[in-house]
Amino acid sequence: MKTSLTWLNEYLEESVAVDEQSAADLAERIERTSVEVDSVTTLAGKQDGLVVAQVKTVAPHPDSDHMVITQVDTGQDELIQVVTGAPNVAEGQYVILAQVGSHIIDHNTGDMIEIKQATLRGETSFGMLVALQEIGFDNKIAPKDFDAGIYVFGEEDNVHAGDDAIAILGMNEPVIDTDLTPNRSDMLSMLGTAYEFGAMLGIKVVIPDFDLVEYEPLAADQIQISVESDELASKYAVRVINNITVKDSPLWLQKRLWNAGMRPINNVVDITNYMMLVYGQPLHAFDLDKLTIKQLAVRRAKNNEQLTTLDGQTRQLRAGEDIVIATNDAQPLMLAGVMGGMSSEVDRSTKNILIESAVFNPSLVRATARRHNIHSEASSRFERGVNSDHTFTALDHAASLVDTLATGQVARGLLTAINQPREAIQQVIAVNRVNHILGTTLTLADVTTILDRLAFEYTIVDSKINVVLPARRPDMSIEADLIEEIARLYGYDNLPVTLPYGPTTPGSLTKAQRQIRASRKILESLGMNQAISYALTTPEKAQQFAENPAAKVVTLDYPMSSDRTTVRQNLLAGVLEDVAYNVNHSVRDIALYEQGRVFVANGKNELPTEIEHLAGVLTGNIAESSWQQEKAERVVDFYDIKGIVVAYLEQIGVKNVRYVATDRHANMHPGRTADIYTDDVYLGFVGQIHPKITRAKKMTPVYGFELNLFTVMSAAKETVSYQPVTRFPQVSRDVALLINDTITNEQVMTVIHQVAGSKLADVTLFDVYAGDKLPTGKKSLAYQLTYQNNEGTLVESEVNDDFEVVTKALVAELGADIR
């Protein structure tokens, strides 16, 4: 909220100083007491030398079709010649002259430039006639487009040649731009800000006064209004004003708007915006003659309704959800509390208007604004809460100003469709309670003095204070809110500094938290780097590697963009995007993992199920060498990624892990993918990403895995114990098997482990052969079995007996021939 201190002084019994140092000191005090301050600035900045000049003569330039030679009066003895290309310059106008030696802001670069005497096509120019954009005004607040020409003062602006243009335009008024938190809706108005600043400075607030004169005919004879449901609005009323003249606003009103960061449009629209700034109450004006039916209804949008809003966009309304103002069953006129429509816009031909004022349902306004991506000044106020005590006051004040500034006649009668009284909120506080919370020694007089500064009404009963919370402070409802107000007005710097007391509880991580952290440390120790990808993605990527591709996805009602609409059901798709990004930036050797949550949809009104997952990928070369590359470099394969999974599960404490070849994952290579189990519990999968996916992204083969971390943690032992290195030697036996080529290594390993006994320490497959020298349908596998006794030296007979049991089991169960 941009607050001009000069304007604010109109609402304070004692004026605050507006010099540069005083404004900076006030801003510092605001930050310590109330809200953050973005900046303290003036529109003028460091500009100088701008004066009001009257154009006396305009003559054609002898050597230019678009420039003219003017003689302007600045209140001095002699006229000043200025050459200009402004298309709107004319004799008798009062304009802004940047004199020779003055400094103005270059509207193209933003740099400060000095005006010098110049010769333009042979004619000397002693200065420059300027548009507002050429002296620091942004296009968003300048009342006329830059192409329209120089700024011309109105006949009613009461300016004279030689006046300081910077002061006349209000460009020297210090403006404090506050960064308001969502709860401080009261400071979205000048009166609310006056109450806040007055409380800090101990100054009382002056409520603006106005006179409202009503004329015939009756307003009720010109329009009928209704509200479909009190769920839509708690207050709604209109005023009708006839025979108005739409024109530019007087300068005093325009400069208040542009100092507040708003663009003047015309006197009617400017009055509604002015009232919104004064009271924090948004208003809207309709052209009464453009209403095809003289009925106005607040209702929900219906099927297939559209509305072209004032920004020129045609919007498809959401039936049953958007609040609209409409002529009963006819097409909507505006999005209630958000933005008006073009069909009833007030323009220069408007003669009769009606102005509405309301308190709309904040939640419904917020939903409509988000749905249509409209963040207007009106919606920001309705969303946070407006002062219902000023709803009709602002309307009457606006009608009075239209009477004054647009020569209108206010029709007799305020038309009210709904006026639900606000239920008074009272809160009782005790001084000892305040001191207990704040650690202070305040007296009853101290607390009531602060309440007086806040302009809160209260009564004292038995040393307790019964405070009536005002409608202008919708952020206050409980005892803690009142104590906070007392604390900040007393001064946070004045609160005593104390150490916390009471029993302390040592913090600790849960088992799940320890396992998750351990998972990250293990994978990083295995050479992988952590990646963090978006939890929001497209519906296709959300289900790309999901365990159940048929499960419903969770979609957002108001997504940030078209590629962030759906909550993910897997991690691999996101990590794969990270791989593609790295590959596109010439990074080829990649080892990434991600730990995070996936989301599975439940019923319509139920929250999704959140499941912790762990995923990782490898691609490129597993090793590098600057020489003898054929000996050192090797492309990653299935066994590299499987080895990482094996090492991780072993270190996290999962035992009896087995890998089962599968082709059920549509986006994984059907011949290089395995499901992972511990006993009969499914943990996840590991394998090669399907080449159709990696080729589309111009990537070399990518291998990955994804595990259900909740299942892994449930299967892991409570602790992982580390055995000391034994001092007794190992004994190994080799065995070569001739078996059917349909039998997998997993089957052989399972048989060995089932019968090998407690002395078997390790089994390693060290050779695989299949060729012409073997019978058809056969292959040869060679294994090394390592035996060890941690408590003593093995003897030959023990090893031979255990090894014989293994070979007999392989023959009996797999039909193997021992070679």
Side-chain angles (χ1 to χ4, degrees), residues 683-805:
L683 302 178
F685 62 88
V686 60
Q688 181 182 349
I689 308 297
H690 202 291
K692 68 182 180 183
I693 296 176
T694 53
R695 279 199 296 264
K697 296 179 179 292
K698 299 180 180 180
M699 295 186 293
T700 56
V702 179
Y703 295 85
F705 69 87
E706 183 150 354
L707 301 172
N708 184 323
L709 201 48
F710 282 165
T711 308
V712 170
M713 292 188 296
S714 298
K717 290 184 176 181
E718 181 70 26
T719 58
V720 178
S721 58
Y722 296 88
Q723 300 296 332
V725 177
T726 181
R727 57 191 179 88
F728 301 105
Q730 296 176 339
V731 177
S732 62
R733 293 287 186 270
D734 295 344
V735 59
L737 312 175
L738 184 64
I739 58 176
N740 293 334
D741 58 9
T742 58
I743 296 175
T744 65
N745 171 65
E746 182 70 22
Q747 292 174 281
V748 175
M749 298 286 280
T750 299
V751 172
I752 294 174
H753 284 294
Q754 285 176 345
V755 302
S758 61
K759 302 298 189 296
L760 182 66
D762 186 41
V763 181
T764 304
L765 173 67
F766 67 85
D767 185 59
V768 179
Y769 178 74
D772 297 338
K773 297 181 179 180
L774 295 179
T776 303
K778 297 289 185 177
K779 64 181 177 182
S780 175
L781 302 179
Y783 294 86
Q784 183 178 75
L785 283 67
T786 303
Y787 295 87
Q788 189 169 43
N789 186 350
N790 294 330
E791 298 177 356
T793 302
L794 285 171
V795 296
E796 194 77 11
S797 59
E798 288 182 292
V799 175
N800 291 339
D801 291 344
D802 285 354
F803 184 67
E804 185 177 357
V805 171

Side-chain angles (χ1 to χ4, degrees), residues 4 42-44 165-175 255 258-259:
S4 164
T42 63
L43 278 173
I166 288 178
I168 293 292
L169 294 171
M171 296 174 62
N172 58 347
E173 297 180 11
V175 175
K255 68 182 181 182
W258 63 48
N259 272 320

Side-chain angles (χ1 to χ4, degrees), residues 481-492:
D481 296 329
L482 261 178
I483 295 177
E484 181 184 7
E485 290 296 290
I486 294 169
R488 68 186 188 85
L489 266 298
Y490 177 68
Y492 292 130

Side-chain angles (χ1 to χ4, degrees), residues 428-448 460-465 479 483 486 501:
V428 177
I429 58 171
V431 176
N432 58 353
R433 173 67 174 168
V434 173
N435 288 327
H436 175 73
I437 296 296
L438 302 181
T440 53
T441 56
L442 297 174
T443 64
L444 179 63
D446 294 331
V447 174
T448 55
I460 301 174
V461 180
D462 296 332
S463 74
K464 291 187 177 180
I465 309 173
E479 178 192 62
I483 295 177
I486 294 169
Y501 64 92

Side-chain angles (χ1 to χ4, degrees), residues 37-204:
V37 173
D38 277 346
S39 62
V40 182
T41 58
T42 63
L43 278 173
K46 299 299 182 182
Q47 298 178 110
D48 58 30
L50 301 177
V51 297
V52 176
Q54 185 181 24
V55 180
K56 291 297 186 180
T57 65
V58 179
H61 193 294
D63 194 27
S64 174
D65 294 333
H66 69 278
M67 288 193 292
V68 295
I69 302 172
T70 67
Q71 301 292 328
V72 300
D73 178 16
T74 62
Q76 305 298 320
D77 294 337
E78 296 183 0
L79 299 181
I80 298 176
Q81 176 171 296
V82 179
V83 179
T84 180
N88 63 327
V89 65
E91 291 182 3
Q93 293 175 336
Y94 284 91
V95 297
I96 305 169
L97 171 66
Q99 306 174 93
V100 173
S102 62
H103 298 86
I104 66 172
I105 297 174
D106 188 321
H107 70 282
N108 290 318
T109 65
D111 298 332
M112 193 73 70
I113 59 173
E114 181 179 350
I115 300 298
K116 299 179 180 179
Q117 177 180 320
T119 301
L120 303 174
R121 295 285 185 93
E123 297 292 334
T124 304
S125 180
F126 298 93
M128 176 180 175
L129 304 183
V130 297
L132 294 182
Q133 289 88 335
E134 293 174 299
I135 54 174
F137 281 65
D138 190 280
N139 278 321
K140 295 178 180 179
I141 64 171
K144 305 293 182 184
D145 292 336
F146 180 67
D147 294 339
I150 58 175
Y151 181 77
V152 179
F153 291 98
E155 295 180 0
E156 301 174 356
D157 291 340
N158 194 29
V159 296
H160 305 88
D163 287 347
D164 183 349
I166 288 178
I168 293 292
L169 294 171
M171 296 174 62
N172 58 347
E173 297 180 11
V175 175
I176 295 180
D177 189 1
T178 51
D179 185 12
L180 303 181
T181 51
N183 63 311
R184 293 309 304 267
S185 61
D186 58 305
M187 293 185 68
L188 284 171
S189 68
M190 293 299 293
L191 281 176
T193 304
Y195 275 111
E196 180 64 22
F197 288 11
M200 287 189 297
L201 303 173
I203 303 174
K204 290 185 177 181

Side-chain angles (χ1 to χ4, degrees), residues 222-238:
Q222 302 182 61
I223 192 72
Q224 295 178 0
I225 62 174
S226 62
V227 175
E228 182 180 72
S229 166
D230 60 6
E231 182 187 2
L232 306 183
S234 59
K235 292 180 181 290
Y236 190 83
V238 301

